[in-house]
Amino acid sequence: MKPTAPRRLAAPLLALLLGACGEGPFDIESGPFPRHLPEGMTVIPSPEDNPLTPEGIALGRWLFHSPRLSSNGQVSCATCHEPARAFADDAALTRRGVSGRPLARHAPALINLAWMDGLFWDGGAKNLESLSLAPLTHPDEMGNTQLPLMMARLEAQPEVVERFEATFGPGSLTLSNLLRSLAQFQRTLVSADSRYDQWRRGEPGAHLAPQEQRGLALVQRHCAPCHGTELFTDNAYHNNGLDPDEAFGEDEAESRGRGRVTQRPEDAGHYKTPTLRNVAVTAPYMHDGRFATLEEVLAHYRGGMVSSTTLDAAFLQDGQPPGLPLTPEDMADVLAFLQTLTDEQFLTEERLRAPQEP
Amino acid sequence: MSPQWGHGPGVAERPPRTGDKMPRGKTPQSARARASAKCRAMKMHTPASSFPAMGRMLALAMLTLLALPACGDDGATDEQLQTVENQRRQLEQQVGALETEVTQLKAQLAQQEQESNANQAQNQALSAQLADIAQQLTEARALLESQDWEGVYTQLTAARSELDALRAKLAATDGSLELNAAFVFGGTPLTLGQTYTTSGGASVSFSQVRYWLSNVTLLKQDGSTAALADSYHLMEVINAQSVEGTVDPVTLPANRRESVLARAVPAGAYAGIRFSIGVDPTYNDNLSRQSGELHILQNMTSVSWMWFTSYIFTKTHGTFQPAGGAQNTFTWDTGTNANYRTVEFAFDSAVTVNSQKRLTVNLRADVANLLTSLNPATTPTIGASQGAASTTLSDNFAGMFSVVSVENPDR
């Protein structure tokens, strides 16, 4: 993670993006595509049968922000995934769904999803196309326990029909197209323009202070096995010592983490490593939002860990309780570095916000 | 012309002309002798045919008629004239027989057109060809009137060979397959709500049984396969049921679906059949993909499963009462890639699929088999997380099929 890469201007990257999308030129300021990809990435991956198109992304953006998708017409995806918080929710266990009941897990930030194989804290959803069915149907999220009724409700709104037909052609208001356009928009939730990225790309005027650079080195040493790569996550599942074995539960218990999906005892208490990008604005933290601040998170890694049979080996220390060997100075440095991962552009970009209703 | 289509060469051989050389070492004695000599010669290189008699008869008639004027005899005897008349009638019959054949094929094409929309263009081409043949036969009749034997013969030859070509085309044209998998419990057809006794003496009744039968594939002797397109079929026996969780009552109609009709089955000879229970990973891993009947709105997904990307492959719901025990309901659903199962059956003898033949494969789907090694009293729920039980149940689904009969009649 050293700034060795040559300066990269927007133009060649745009050319690559365009190549990947097979679309004509677009307006950089109002276009639907991100200006930068994380270092080393050349395209936004998408399935063969759902390539990114400006129209599909635009429809997905509208759907993502539209409360019409919920049974009571009041909850949109953005209700729990707020753009200004990198699409995370500020409640530990949100009550913002149609029922007002708290959810079982924290609503995470939605960042660089195009490079994620497994979605949800346990990776139960295999792709963005399939994932949306979960919030759409969950009685405590968007409440469409009967999808045919949701489709009938949408079909009865000429404006919705028009938007689909303008995108996918006549008769195209289908659940499949709805899922696909939502997925397209979410693949454009790319964050790669933080101060760290600008410094990494060697952009003029970009710099990291010495403390921030020390923090980066510490992250690379202690956190990178999991929060590594330019995505700041390995997108894999680990137990970082939050709970004892007894707390994991059995079968389909949410608390079983990855083990719920694989049904393997060795995966109990494992959760997907969240990205550290924008982490300064996505509090609270962990799968259940138990930590309100990054200081609490670092205190956990330093000395608050709980042992269990599935605890990751990275935290085992000879003759000492599990954790990471961080001094108070280290923690201050790490905290300083984490701030540099905040991507103001991503948090404020017009292309990701609710479109103006005509 | 190929013999395998089951139609003799008939008139396809050029008729002998007066100047034709006789087979070496044979002295011609009479037209009849010559005719039968030639006939034998012809028959020798005639491929096996299902209508050899017709072919020979026609050839014989032609030879006699053509040979007569060449014999140089002044007054043909009454007997000879009688022979000519008989044989003229035979020619006429031949025209009639071909006309009948044309009529049958026309009806068949019309039927085919109704059954499948896939091969419209092909069907139209075949119909046009049939119209041509019918025209040739009309001309043959006119020539018969004017006693132009050679003309009749030419028309018949052309018609015969075109008909054979057409039949060859039809035989290479996609056919259809009917796959029946009748729901039974032990020996009797499954009725929802009826109480059955298990081999262990318990009482069981079912409120619904549903499963995805998918990826039907016919197997060739050489190991190659013909996979049917869009092959996802929701097999079920369900009562009318109101759908849970809705404000306005929504009802699913009662249904009994035990049959799959697959069109556009590639023509060929097949030695067996293969199909799967569940949905293959390509489709199961991405719920926005649709094919055949496979669709997220089929109620074979579940809200309580949405956190986990998979269709529900099978549903078996009912009530169970162990001998001397209490009655309980059981709800068994399976899904996930690990529970995708494939079964294969060899046919006793090879079958032919093409537009001229029907293939019907009759199976029994014995629901009693689903209870093998599983006890609904102790395992009332099988879902995404009952790993071991859903493995067993998926095996039981794969094991519930047996072949009753395979029918392969002509259309």
Side-chain angles (χ1 to χ4, degrees), chain A residues 46-210:
Chain A
S46 59
E48 234 169 70
D49 55 2
N50 191 24
L52 297 184
T53 65
E55 298 79 17
I57 295 167
L59 177 61
R61 173 187 173 193
W62 183 78
L63 288 168
F64 188 90
H65 290 280
S66 175
R68 297 170 201 239
L69 293 190
S70 62
S71 59
N72 67 359
Q74 291 173 12
V75 178
S76 74
C77 307
T79 302
C80 301
H81 298 289
E82 201 191 324
R85 297 181 182 278
F87 300 91
D89 188 86
D90 63 355
L93 302 176
T94 194
R95 293 172 177 269
R96 293 202 164 94
V98 294
S99 69
R101 282 193 294 266
L103 298 184
R105 289 185 184 149
H106 175 62
L110 306 181
I111 302 169
N112 298 337
L113 300 175
W115 291 277
M116 245 174 231
D117 291 332
L119 296 151
F120 291 139
W121 285 99
D122 54 20
K126 289 179 178 147
N127 40 63
L128 290 165
E129 280 76 4
S130 308
L131 174 136
S132 292
L133 289 166
L136 287 171
T137 55
H138 198 293
D140 299 324
E141 295 184 42
M142 299 171 91
N144 299 294
T145 45
Q146 281 305 313
L147 287 166
L149 291 184
M150 178 188 80
M151 293 312 291
R153 202 177 59 236
L154 294 175
E155 275 155 19
Q157 304 176 47
E159 194 205 335
V160 178
V161 177
E162 269 163 39
R163 281 181 188 271
F164 273 82
E165 300 200 333
T167 308
F168 292 109
S172 61
L173 171 47
T174 64
L175 184 55
S176 185
N177 283 335
L178 185 146
L179 296 172
R180 287 178 177 181
S181 48
L182 271 173
Q184 285 192 38
F185 172 66
Q186 291 179 85
R187 289 198 173 90
T188 68
L189 304 185
V190 175
S191 175
D193 205 13
S194 64
R195 221 151 48 73
Y196 160 80
D197 293 292
Q198 292 164 1
W199 171 79
R200 176 93 167 79
R201 287 192 291 267
E203 285 180 14
H207 81 289
L208 290 192

Side-chain angles (χ1 to χ4, degrees), chain A residues 47 49 120 122 124-127 129-130 133-134 137 139 145-149 151 175-176 179-180 251-252 260-261 263, chain B residues 243-246 250 284-290 295-297 299 303-309 337 383-387:
Chain A
D49 55 2
F120 291 139
D122 54 20
K126 289 179 178 147
N127 40 63
E129 280 76 4
S130 308
L133 289 166
T137 55
T145 45
Q146 281 305 313
L147 287 166
L149 291 184
M151 293 312 291
L175 184 55
S176 185
L179 296 172
R180 287 178 177 181
D251 295 342
E252 285 176 34
R260 180 196 200 202
V261 172
Q263 295 293 313
Chain B
V243 169
E244 92 260 11
T246 48
V250 173
N284 197 43
D285 286 352
N286 186 330
L287 303 180
S288 76
R289 294 192 177 135
Q290 298 172 5
H295 195 292
I296 197 80
L297 300 181
N299 218 28
V303 171
S304 60
W305 271 37
M306 282 302 182
W307 53 272
F308 191 100
T309 307
N337 293 345
S385 63
Q386 283 70 27

Side-chain angles (χ1 to χ4, degrees), chain A residues 1 38-41 112 196-197 200 228-232 277:
Chain A
M1 285 203 263
E39 204 53 22
M41 310 293 179
N112 298 337
Y196 160 80
D197 293 292
R200 176 93 167 79
T229 80
E230 288 300 312
L231 299 170
F232 290 90
R277 286 180 171 279

Side-chain angles (χ1 to χ4, degrees), chain A residues 279-281 283 285 291-299 335 338-339:
Chain A
V279 77
V281 301
Y285 303 104
F291 298 133
T293 63
L294 285 174
E295 286 78 1
E296 283 179 49
V297 171
L298 292 182
L335 268 178
L338 293 180
Q339 304 293 328

Side-chain angles (χ1 to χ4, degrees), chain B residues 245-328:
Chain B
T246 48
V247 188
D248 309 319
V250 173
T251 34
L252 225 61
N255 192 28
R256 189 180 190 96
R257 163 82 185 288
E258 309 174 283
S259 181
V260 171
L261 185 60
R263 312 195 190 293
V265 179
Y270 295 101
I273 191 167
R274 175 160 86 205
F275 59 87
S276 299
I277 300 97
V279 178
D280 52 279
T282 304
Y283 282 88
N284 197 43
D285 286 352
N286 186 330
L287 303 180
S288 76
R289 294 192 177 135
Q290 298 172 5
S291 176
E293 296 159 32
L294 190 66
H295 195 292
I296 197 80
L297 300 181
Q298 281 278 26
N299 218 28
M300 283 298 269
T301 53
S302 148
V303 171
S304 60
W305 271 37
M306 282 302 182
W307 53 272
F308 191 100
T309 307
S310 176
Y311 283 94
I312 294 180
F313 292 178
T314 74
K315 281 189 182 183
T316 314
H317 297 185
T319 57
F320 186 81
Q321 186 167 23
Q327 194 181 57
N328 72 308

